[in-house]
Amino acid sequence: MNKSSLSRRDFMLLGAGAAAAGLAAKVTILEPRALWASPGPVPPSDMVRFASIGTGVRGCELLQSSLSVPGIECVGVCDLYDSRHQAAQEAVQKQVPATRDYRQILDRKDVDAVIVAVTDHHHRKVVEDACAAGKDVYCEKPMSHTVEDGFAIMDAVHKNKRMLQVGSQRVSSILYAKAKEIYDSGKLGQVCAIEAYWDRNTASGAWVYPIPPDASPQTIDWNAFLQDAPKRPFDPVRFFRWRCFEDYGEGLAGDLFVHLISGIHFITGTNMVAQRAQSAGGLFRWKDGRDFPDLIETYYDYPNFRTAIRCNLNNEGGEFIGFYGTKGTMIIKDSTLTYRPQDTRPQPESYSIYGWPKRLREQYLKQWQQEHPQPEPLHFNVDEEAESFKVPPGYDDVADHQANFFNAVRTRKPVVENEIFGNNAALGCHLSNYSYFNKTVAVWDAAAKKIKSA
Ligand SMILES: NC(=O)c1ccc[n+]([C@@H]2O[C@H](COP(=O)([O-])OP(=O)(O)OC[C@H]3O[C@@H](n4cnc5c(N)ncnc54)[C@H](O)[C@@H]3O)[C@@H](O)[C@H]2O)c1
């Protein structure tokens, strides 16, 4: 469903249905935001012309989603695999020029911005070249493949005075905006513990993607794909399932942790690297020659809270972030947010005084009541106070995130997820892998811009 096609009546009906499903006492279906601030069509002078570099699974998803963002026009696509030129043209519903060589895109004067949805080990080079060519960049997550790549990308953006949005789209989600509002309101009290997971239980979830029948050294520029990675003969498994291999990806940390870390950073207003990380995990099931574990759990230290993050490819658990505060709990589970307060009104001690003689117990209770003259406890029912929020069916946070970027390109106002935010989140992924592979506590050395062992 197109989000603009959701009427107010639809919201009311959805709200009634969610309440009937018994999610929480109060269920609110959140209203999507307008993707373009002004009513009416976008004048041609305000159009942003963009091209997409990397039109694999994600590149095509972004192109499709871009169709609902007003004021932008795709004018070219680029990929190392020829069939993806056609896939991209189908996604954007236009016969835009297609090339294997992204420099041809960067040389074009009619391209204002580029979407970079190439494999992680290409992010740095493509973003550096795009910034040097004067293009603004929407760079897919995780921003960096290595610690050094992240800082090189930041330098390129700053040196060339470009705008860069990193592609963890949860940061633009209306559900996360509501979560941030609740967090910032203080309703959760002091949040010391945050827990997150993203678990999947399918071959696709474990990146065992099918190899297209036309994949060959003729249809794929294999040497360009390898770039600085170790030379190898053509290997379609490595090309299509690159997330499994450390030369090109970062396993579960780079693929999924980054979304959870970005969400936690956004909601808590944290824009720093975790100070320490400690990982455990293993490769238990998907023993297909991959470099990465299929289960990884990492404990992160931040100054004001601790975070535990897990990804497990051996159970269908979905996506979850829980914030545990002294006044309440907030849970994001897939597309639902639930806030549940705790009863924190003062109560007389009711446990340890049962080790006292009756006389002292009664004396204590009498005194407590004198000091707390409220005759009856105020009515407070946690279930009645709990609230749930859901996104409407068909809601697309990717279009929101793209709209945020393209509006920033047009207005030069800041994006929601810039290169500093993206680098901090990606460094959390690198800390996780460093700890797992080196069997050590990983410590972030901010001065040296390096990860070291504790
Ligand atoms: N935000 C999200 O939810 C999300 C979801 C999926 C993927 N991603 C990210 O998107 C990126 C792409 O992932 P994918 O699943 O689409 O992978 P994919 O393998 O399907 O596509 C990547 C494409 O990049 C192309 N490519 C690599 N280097 C290139 C270069 N120098 N020039 C032109 N093309 C080049 C390859 O030919 C390949 O077709 C990754 O960084 C991934 O982490 C983000």
Side-chain angles (χ1 to χ4, degrees), residues 54-123:
T55 59
V57 183
R58 187 56 175 175
C60 285
E61 261 184 321
L62 290 171
L63 286 173
Q64 239 154 24
S65 169
S66 75
L67 296 176
S68 60
V69 179
I72 63 173
E73 185 190 0
C74 178
V75 295
V77 293
C78 168
D79 201 280
L80 302 177
Y81 167 33
D82 297 338
S83 288
R84 286 185 162 160
H85 298 165
Q86 193 186 344
Q89 288 163 339
E90 285 168 6
V92 79
Q93 297 171 17
K94 224 166 109 188
Q95 288 299 306
V96 289
T99 173
R100 278 186 178 189
D101 179 3
Y102 71 82
R103 281 163 206 288
Q104 288 182 10
I105 299 257
L106 299 184
D107 285 345
R108 283 174 59 175
K109 297 281 172 286
D110 64 331
V111 172
D112 304 310
V114 287
I115 291 178
V116 175
V118 296
T119 40
D120 298 352
H121 72 306
H122 279 254
H123 285 187

Side-chain angles (χ1 to χ4, degrees), residues 177-435:
K178 176 52 78 176
K180 181 163 180 53
E181 185 188 311
I182 293 174
Y183 186 95
D184 288 347
S185 74
K187 277 161 88 173
L188 298 176
Q190 187 182 357
V191 176
C192 309
I194 302 173
E195 220 171 62
Y197 63 74
W198 194 335
D199 294 346
R200 313 196 288 206
N201 191 18
T202 61
S204 180
W207 316 308
V208 185
Y209 302 139
I211 312 291
D214 73 344
S216 76
Q218 284 69 50
T219 56
I220 293 172
D221 188 341
W222 173 248
N223 280 332
F225 171 77
L226 288 179
Q227 193 176 238
D228 297 335
K231 296 285 169 241
R232 299 173 173 272
F234 177 71
D235 184 347
V237 168
R238 285 184 165 256
F239 183 81
F240 290 99
R241 302 176 189 166
W242 56 266
R243 285 170 173 80
C244 300
F245 303 100
E246 63 180 350
D247 290 340
Y248 330 113
E250 311 77 31
L252 282 166
D255 201 32
L256 300 181
F257 270 37
V258 69
H259 284 296
L260 302 168
I261 295 172
S262 300
I264 292 167
H265 282 190
F266 172 72
I267 291 165
T268 58
T270 302
N271 201 359
M272 64 178 295
V273 190
Q275 296 153 310
R276 285 158 48 101
Q278 187 162 12
S279 301
L283 181 59
F284 295 103
R285 178 183 176 201
W286 299 96
K287 297 179 180 178
D288 51 8
R290 68 182 59 201
D291 296 333
F292 289 102
D294 54 25
L295 165 71
I296 183 161
E297 310 190 51
T298 303
Y299 290 93
Y300 290 102
D301 288 10
Y302 288 88
N304 297 324
F305 52 80
R306 300 288 175 268
T307 295
I309 300 186
R310 177 191 80 218
C311 285
N312 180 14
L313 295 178
N314 309 305
N315 178 269
E316 189 61 59
E319 191 181 341
F320 172 101
I321 309 183
F323 299 82
Y324 302 93
T326 52
K327 292 188 188 164
T329 304
M330 181 169 73
I331 303 287
I332 302 174
K333 177 74 179 70
D334 301 321
S335 57
T336 303
L337 165 71
T338 305
Y339 159 70
R340 206 176 154 77
Q342 294 183 353
D343 188 351
T344 54
R345 291 166 303 163
Q347 305 285 346
E349 174 64 29
S350 63
Y351 173 68
S352 63
I353 54 170
Y354 283 89
W356 298 3
K358 192 171 175 219
R359 173 180 52 86
L360 292 182
R361 226 164 44 222
E362 285 175 356
Q363 191 183 327
Y364 162 81
L365 288 171
K366 192 169 162 208
Q367 189 183 338
W368 194 91
Q369 256 153 27
Q370 278 165 1
E371 286 167 4
H372 300 84
Q374 183 68 42
E376 288 275 317
L378 292 172
H379 175 75
F380 183 90
N381 179 321
V382 165
D383 289 327
E384 285 172 17
E385 299 296 317
E387 283 182 276
S388 285
F389 303 87
K390 287 181 78 64
V391 298
Y395 170 70
D396 179 14
D397 52 11
V398 181
D400 253 339
H401 205 49
Q402 286 185 303
N404 178 275
F405 169 66
F406 287 114
N407 285 330
V409 170
R410 189 181 290 112
T411 61
R412 311 316 288 173
K413 289 192 182 142
V415 292
V416 70
E417 191 181 359
N418 70 8
E419 63 287 349
I420 298 167
F421 185 103
N423 191 42
N424 287 339
L427 287 169
C429 309
H430 303 320
L431 281 168
S432 167
N433 279 334
Y434 183 100
S435 169

